[in-house]
Amino acid sequence: MTAAAHALARAGLIGAATGLRSQYGLAAVSLTGAHHPAGPGVSFLTRRWVRVVTVSAAAGEFLADKSPRIPDRLSPAGLGPRLVFASLAAAVLTVRHRGAEPVLLGTAGGACAAAATAFAGAKWREPSSHRAFPDAVAAVIEDLVALALARAACGPVHHAGSGDSPALAEVEEVMPMDGNAPGSGSWEVM
C-alpha cells in the first residue's frame, strides 16, 4: 500500500466514524495528534484544551444521542456538521500521514464516507420489528462501531512479523512504529 493510499484509507475511516457520531472523528484526531508531527494549520488540534473540548463533545454526543430530541442525522442540522467535521478530520489525517499533496482527495473521501455511514446509521436505527433489541442497544452498538473506526483511522500500527495480517505488515512498511515511540498507542486527554 502506498503512503497516499494509506492516508486516503485513514481519511475514509475517520469520515465513516464521523458519519455515525459527528464528534468522534475530531476527538480521535485531537487525542492522537500529540504523537504525530503537526502539519501547517493543524497544530491547534494538539493543544490540551482542544483535546478536552473534543472529548467532552464526543462524550456529550454519546449521552445525547439516546434522546429523541436530537435532530435527525439526515436533516441539514444533523448531516451538515457531520460532513464539515469529517472533512476537517480527514484533511488533518491526510496531512499527518502523507503531506499536503492529496489533501483534497482525503477531504472528499472523508466527507463521502461520512455521508454513507450517516445514511447507513439512520437505516440501522430505524424502528424495526425484526430487531431483537431496543434502540438504546442499537445506539450503543453504533457507538462501538464508530469508536472502532476512529481507532483504526488514528490508532497505532502493529509490528510486522508479529502474527499480524499481511495488510498490517504493508502498513508497517509505510508507518514504522517501535515500542519506544513516544505515546505509541496511547490516547491521552491530558
Side-chain angles (χ1 to χ4, degrees):
M1 181 184 290
T2 67
H6 184 256
L8 294 176
R10 284 185 181 261
L13 288 167
I14 204 67
T18 305
L20 294 175
R21 293 290 180 267
S22 65
Q23 304 299 315
Y24 284 21
L26 280 178
V29 168
S30 181
L31 282 172
T32 59
H35 308 299
H36 297 281
V42 296
S43 62
F44 72 94
L45 282 173
T46 63
R47 294 184 181 152
R48 183 178 182 177
W49 71 268
V50 174
R51 289 195 308 266
V52 170
V53 167
T54 59
V55 169
S56 297
E61 182 177 17
F62 172 81
L63 297 172
D65 177 65
K66 291 25 170 208
S67 168
R69 289 190 234 155
I70 298 301
D72 180 1
R73 76 179 80 202
L74 301 179
S75 72
L79 190 57
R82 279 177 164 73
L83 298 179
V84 170
F85 295 154
S87 296
L88 178 59
V92 170
L93 283 183
T94 303
V95 168
R96 183 186 292 172
H97 293 284
R98 174 67 173 105
E101 234 175 346
V103 75
L104 185 58
L105 289 175
T107 301
C112 288
T117 57
F119 279 91
K123 184 70 174 165
W124 164 253
R125 294 284 297 278
E126 282 180 356
S128 175
S129 59
H130 70 275
R131 192 167 56 211
F133 44 84
D135 185 59
V137 173
V140 170
I141 291 170
E142 190 178 1
D143 286 318
L144 294 173
V145 169
L147 286 170
L149 289 167
R151 178 72 174 171
C154 298
V157 177
H158 297 16
H159 292 285
S162 63
D164 291 330
S165 72
L168 287 176
E170 287 181 13
V171 171
E172 173 66 17
E173 290 176 19
V174 176
M175 270 183 47
M177 296 280 289
D178 62 18
N180 298 323
S184 59
S186 68
W187 286 44
E188 299 173 11
V189 176
M190 312 228 184

